[in-house]
């Protein structure tokens, strides 16, 4: 599962992982931030079973404020299935690294849908 930076995007059919302070839900400011990371919609569907199991009413077409505890539960759900998929495991590690790079050390972040 490939995470991309803004400059790497070839299209806009992606989900954006945005730091809490980079997106304003009231004005919808903050899409396409250079600090965000992106994943294609095709690859994001692999995560949908884990997300749906943990996050009630996840909006695949809009903004979702995700608390770190929720995200940890998504990762735990994947781990509990004992799936030996290094790509997904690496994806979760990369997201964790990105979250730890948040200078504001927020307790949540955004996943912005298609």
């Amino acid at each position: 599962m490939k995470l991309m930076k803004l400059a790497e995007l070839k299209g806009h059919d992606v989900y954006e992982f945005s730091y809490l302070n980079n997106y304003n839900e009231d004005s919808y400011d903050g899409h396409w931030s250079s600090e965000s990371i992106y994943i294609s919609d095709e690859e994001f569907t692999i995560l949908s079973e884990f997300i749906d199991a943990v996050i009630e009413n996840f909006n695949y077409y809009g903004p979702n404020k995700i608390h770190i505890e929720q995200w940890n539960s998504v990762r735990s759900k994947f781990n509990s299935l004992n799936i030996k998929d290094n790509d997904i495991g690496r994806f979760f590690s990369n997201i964790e690294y990105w979250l730890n790079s948040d200078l504001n050390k927020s307790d949540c972040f955004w996943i912005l849908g298609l």
Side-chain angles (χ1 to χ4, degrees), residues 3 45-46 62 75 80 88:
L3 289 172
T45 59
I46 296 167
R75 184 177 188 164
S80 73
I88 297 176

Side-chain angles (χ1 to χ4, degrees), residues 49-87:
E49 78 174 272
F50 312 118
I51 288 173
D52 290 342
V54 173
I55 302 171
E56 190 174 319
N57 299 319
F58 185 86
N59 183 355
Y60 286 89
Y61 299 99
N64 300 276
K65 186 184 279 186
I66 309 297
H67 292 270
I68 300 299
E69 307 87 52
Q70 288 176 300
W71 186 253
N72 290 339
S73 294
V74 170
R75 184 177 188 164
S76 292
K77 182 68 173 170
F78 164 73
N79 289 337
S80 73
L81 298 176
N82 292 320
I83 298 171
K84 300 299 180 207
D85 187 324
N86 290 334
D87 282 343

